[in-house]
Amino acid sequence: MEIIVASSIGVLTAGGVYLLLRLRTFPVILGLALLSYAVNVFLFASGRLATNLPPVLSPYGDASYTDPLPQALVLTAIVISFGMTAVLVMIGLGAFLEADSDRIDMEPEQDGADAANEGSA
Amino acid sequence: MGLGGTLLLLIAVMPFAGALLPGLMIRAGRNVCAISTAVPTFLALTMLVVLAPSVMQGNVVQAQIEWLPQLGLSASFFLDGLGLLFAGMILGVGLLITLYARFYLSGEDPMGQFYTYLLLFQGAMLGIVLSDNILLLLIFWELTSLSSFLLIGFWKHLPEGRQGARMALAVTGAGGLAMIGGMLILGNIVGSYNLTDILAAGDQIRASEWYLPALILILLGAFTKSAQFPFHFWLPHAMAAPTPVSAYLHSATMVKAGVFLLARMWPALAGTDAWFYIVSTTGLVTMVLGALIALFKDDLKALLAFSTVSHLGLLTMLLGFGTQAAAVAAVFHIINHLTFKAALFMTAGIVDHETHTRDIKRLGGLRHLMPITFLIGTAAALSMAGIPLFNGFLSKELMLEEASHTDWFGSAYAVPVMATIGALLSVAYSLRFISHVFLGPVRDDYPHKPHDPPFGMWAAPALLVAMVVIIGVAPFLAEGIVTAAANAVTGADLHPHLKIWHGFTPALWMSVIAVAGGIILLLLHKPLDKLWIAAPRPEAKAIFDRLIAGLVAASRAITEIGHNGAISRYLAIFTASSVALGWVAYSSSGLSAPTRELLPISPVIFVGWIMLIVATVSVVTMHHHRFRALVLIGIIGLSISAGFAYLSAPDLALTQISVETVTIMLLLLALHFMPKITPKESSAGLKLRDGVIALGAGGGVAALAYAFLMRDIETISDYHLANSYEGGGGTNVVNVILVDFRGYDTFGEIIVLGIAGLVIYAIMHALLDGPASRRLKNTDYSYDRSRDRHPMMMVVATRVMMPIAIVVGAYIFLRGHNQPGGGFVAGLVIAIALLMQYMASGFAWTQERQRMEYHTMIGLGVVIAGLTGVGSWLFGRPFLTSDFTYIHLPPIEEFEVATAMLFDLGVFLTVLGGVMLMLYSLSRIARFAGETVNVEPMDYDPADRVPDEEER
């Protein structure tokens, strides 16, 4: 199970970072969304994994529970990352509508192959 | 703290408190404005006089208010002899300057502003001399730089004023920065930032290996402030200020701050070779150089500025000698220099005011036209020259006496000879001030016909000159304050006797040489001046400008490397360096052995994992098709939510799934206005680079996660689990943490969410007012518009769902404290239910039926949550302490009511309002883009249909 969680975090991070490095707003926002998933799961996992031990107190005496604190932190993190994504989307949309371009860089990277690619696209 | 301490605090606060007055009082006229400036100064001075007798007897008045004790920062003040001397100078001259400026400033100058700046500056200066904490002292130190910037650049329309102010700020600010470093080192050596402790730990400081760096850094601060060579160049440029400012800042206060610091730090830092050679040599060079340049300046104020530089050098040199007698001489000269120099600046101001020029070459013969000014100026200048019966003579004799027996690198003559040359030059420029301005024939080509100014303008310099003469004739009158201040500097018990006649000492002969040589030099001034003008000299301002230009170019070049406007570039740099740092951290320290066993993998979870991996890889490979990528993101979010549910986090699963829904809706709405395809524009090389960075980051994070997942930790959650029910009254520990244990965090977080909603609303409005609105109107979005935008099936289904969804939301909210759920999730669920109405029947139709503004909802939520927290204050408990009880209403089971639930209601309202406001803003944009408005719930309503002929 640990391998599954760790590898999921890794894959989400890698995908998120790759999209984050793209040149247009929309993929960057998607990348940030992926990265927020990764970070949230990462934080959650810092409480260590457990199955069938939800942190809801049982009326039947002694029972063990998983760590509730990371869960509480991640819960607000999920909501806040939604807020952040929303603001970013709005900024991206605004920039596109104002400038008619959704490039994120102020000037395109000076790359010969880059320009050639653009010509063929 | 006692009465003395209270008075001391009041003295320190008075100028700041009074600083607002003149700005307001200017409406009542210029006299009222000036008086309102004088009142706080006068009050502070009176209180100082009350404290003076006890301080003169060697007592120290102290006052302390703890401020940030964790950082060693306290607002503590103390008043000893040195502080008394300086505070008296600052307030006394401040009062005189206030009077003088009233008559000097013209009707066009904003006088209220001027006096406000002046009081701010005065407060900062007072703070420096009264601080008993070096961190506090540093704060006041920076405040003097800032307020003097405002004063020097007071005439904003003059480019010289602005440049001079900038230069002063750059030089003194840089020095202040160095001094912060030095002071922090000092505090570290001693283990306290209290000045009293530091001054008592002189031996410990001098023995420390950090002594030299601390010394150099602190000296940099003092030298830049006191315009010591090679930082002397800013002072003459600061003369672009109005003359009252020059008289105040550059004779009595700001430039003396450096000297004050040297004197203040004397017990802690003086007495070593490093101190002697650095401080006294700098002072000596500055003294001679300043005097030399002053002799050849034609601008009256520039002459005085360089003479100030020279006299500051003299003071620095004396303090550098490190002997007790030199300290006495320095303290005495501080007083004398203040009196004659402030008077001279004011005289220069009067001359400028009356003749409209400060160029010495255009002046002369003023003694007949301005006899009073002539008397004042001459007495002050003679004192500056060091002529007997004026106070300048007394301290100059003491200085020469000290210089005459000071060895410098084994040479017995270097210091006495240089000191004599300095004194000689000083005589020359002082006499030049008298003879070239006041003596000589009356001219008829003054730019303005001069005559003596009104009494108010010459009263202040006249008073100062009276002091010059009184101290000069009867020096024993100043003995008390000099003794008190010198004792405070040296920490010894000295009894200096100040007198005019010391016998035929070497100092007297040096003085005689200086006066004779000075007169000869003045007679030769004309040919020497030609020589001076012809000689090549480095122009400090040009060098400074080139230096600044170079620094700007260099920092721009460095910035360009990483920060060239390409976000993707710095994101790449940032990520790559984070990965590299992580690698360094990992490879420099090993990893302990795993302590946990792997949990088994269930087949369902394995399938979910495959889904997640495939979806993520697909998003990356297919992200050019934006719509498809969004669908895939939805899959990822759902898999994660399932994972949370499986791994004992039901609350997270609920939140994730509802947030996911809202996020996708939001992105879909936004995508409507954006290109649907991302162009393929990255080169293969760029893709490879990003791929490598991404794989590195992903691999690193995965390894890190795996490493800690296999090891146990200490957790603080046992406390939460144990106290959740008894303390917070709930069995859902996650919810109790959110609304109770960490309620404060949650409170902050809902505010952030609310602000995010408002930000989006604001951006929307800004967009609709700008060029974006034209683009929206002119773009045709009809190609991706459905024919049947509000289908009947959907309308009916959402109407049926609405009450069910609201009941579910209420249920989730109510059970939240004991079972998975709570305000966050409930808010999102209700938001989704409302959104479905928007989707089914359109924006306008739904909006019409909305009763409450979303802004109100956000505000209400934050207020309710805040009031709940405040409510616990009423019961004498800390913010957000919750209370609870159980209620039994017959038809339903017994249930619990907790104040935390009220807090959760606040959370609920804010989340609902925030989310709805975001989506509402996007819908507004849609309407602007020409979306038609529907007032009917659905496009095609079968109930309205008119039956066909056939059916009838």
Side-chain angles (χ1 to χ4, degrees), chain B residues 773-784:
Chain B
S773 66
R774 276 192 300 283
R775 199 184 312 281
L776 277 170
K777 283 206 169 110
N778 297 333
T779 313
D780 182 19
Y781 291 102
S782 62
Y783 57 90
D784 55 12

Side-chain angles (χ1 to χ4, degrees), chain A residues 1-15 17-27 29-30 33-34 37 40-42 44-46 48-57 65-72 74-80 82-83 85-87 89-94 96-100 102-107 109 111 113-114 117-118 121, chain B residues 564-568 571-572 596 598-599 601 605 609 612-613 616 619-620 623 626 629 633 636-637 640 644 646-649 651-652 655-656 659-660 662-663 666-667 670 673-675 678-683 686-687 690-691 694 698 701-702 704-706 708-709 711 713 715-717 720 725 731 733-734 737-738 749 753 756 760 763-764 767 771-772 775 818 824 915 918 922 925:
Chain A
M1 193 66 219
E2 275 79 3
I3 298 174
I4 280 192
V5 172
S7 60
S8 305
I9 295 172
V11 170
L12 286 171
T13 310
V17 167
Y18 182 80
L19 288 182
L20 206 59
L21 297 176
R22 295 306 92 210
L23 304 173
R24 303 283 173 150
T25 46
F26 202 76
I29 291 168
L30 293 185
L34 286 186
Y37 291 142
N40 288 341
V41 177
F42 184 90
F44 164 71
S46 70
R48 308 303 184 261
L49 305 183
T51 50
N52 290 325
L53 299 175
V56 177
L57 299 180
Y65 306 101
T66 185
D67 194 340
L69 191 60
Q71 293 196 15
V74 171
L75 198 151
T76 47
I78 294 174
V79 179
I80 291 288
F82 161 70
T85 311
V87 171
V89 166
M90 201 64 191
I91 292 174
L93 177 61
F96 172 71
L97 290 177
E98 293 268 329
D100 201 20
D102 58 352
R103 284 182 162 278
I104 61 164
D105 292 347
M106 276 162 73
E107 44 187 24
E109 289 200 11
D111 192 338
D114 208 22
N117 236 355
E118 207 156 7
Chain B
N564 63 346
I567 298 181
S568 46
L571 284 176
R596 289 173 74 98
L598 282 176
L599 287 178
I601 300 171
I605 282 301
W609 178 68
L612 181 107
I613 302 288
T616 313
V619 170
V620 171
H623 74 89
R626 295 180 171 180
I633 290 271
I636 298 170
I640 288 174
F644 281 143
Y646 181 74
L647 291 169
S648 322
D651 279 289
L652 290 190
T655 316
Q656 180 70 54
V659 163
E660 198 55 46
V662 184
T663 312
L666 182 90
L667 285 169
F673 306 101
M674 291 171 91
T678 306
K680 297 193 173 178
E681 54 191 348
S682 302
S683 65
L686 199 65
K687 282 182 181 165
D690 296 346
V701 172
L704 180 62
Y706 183 71
F708 73 59
L709 279 174
R711 286 159 184 83
I713 37 147
T715 167
I716 58 168
S717 296
H720 298 136
Y725 188 65
T731 53
V733 186
V734 173
I737 290 177
L738 284 175
E749 263 148 342
L753 194 70
I760 288 176
I763 296 179
M764 180 267 292
L767 277 181
R775 199 184 312 281
N818 291 313
F824 274 112
V915 171
M918 291 171 190
L922 275 166
I925 295 183

